[in-house]
């Protein structure tokens, strides 16, 4: 049974940092693609960052333009966990953050319709 559980959200001041975690089970991170999405108040869900592997070895990462240089995605296969390090946070980063898993074959990483399983989400609020 595939499960995803996000954690690490909270309230942070502008310019601060948070690290989100996505704990996974029921599949191998070595063959899956994990993407973080977010949905802010009154906004559509958008893809933020993705990490995928090929043959369990090469790692590929992708970022939305709005978070490039500020966010960093990584994974720990031994812990079955994917992380999203968020630095230099801005009020517009306020959203519920979700992780989602996609199994091969992979197509558009930013298309939420490609993903079959989702976590419950974790709230990130950036405010002074």
């Amino acid at each position: 049974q595939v499960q995803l559980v996000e954690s690490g959200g909270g309230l942070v001041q502008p310019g601060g940092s948070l690290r989100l975690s996505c704990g996974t089970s029921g599949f191998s991170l070595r063959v899956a693609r994990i993407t973080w999405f977010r949905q802010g108040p009154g906004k559509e869900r958008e893809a933020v960052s993705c990490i995928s592997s090929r043959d369990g070895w090469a790692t590929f990462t992708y970022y939305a333009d709005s978070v490039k240089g500020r966010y960093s995605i990584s994974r720990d296969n031994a812990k079955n966990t994917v992380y999203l390090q968020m630095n230099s946070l801005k009020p517009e980063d306020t959203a519920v953050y979700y992780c989602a898993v996609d199994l091969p074959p992979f197509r558009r990483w930013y298309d939420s319709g490609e993903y079959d399983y989702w976590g419950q989400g974790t709230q990130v609020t950036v405010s002074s």
Side-chain angles (χ1 to χ4, degrees), residues 33 52 66 69-70 87 101 112 121 123 127:
R33 178 170 72 179
S52 66
S66 58
R70 301 189 298 123
N87 300 324
V101 61
S112 62
Q123 175 71 45
S127 175

Side-chain angles (χ1 to χ4, degrees), residues 45-65:
R45 185 170 297 186
E46 64 171 339
V48 174
S49 182
C50 171
I51 187 165
S52 66
S53 63
R54 182 171 297 166
D55 301 325
W57 294 103
T59 298
F60 302 89
T61 57
Y62 308 90
Y63 298 92
D65 288 343

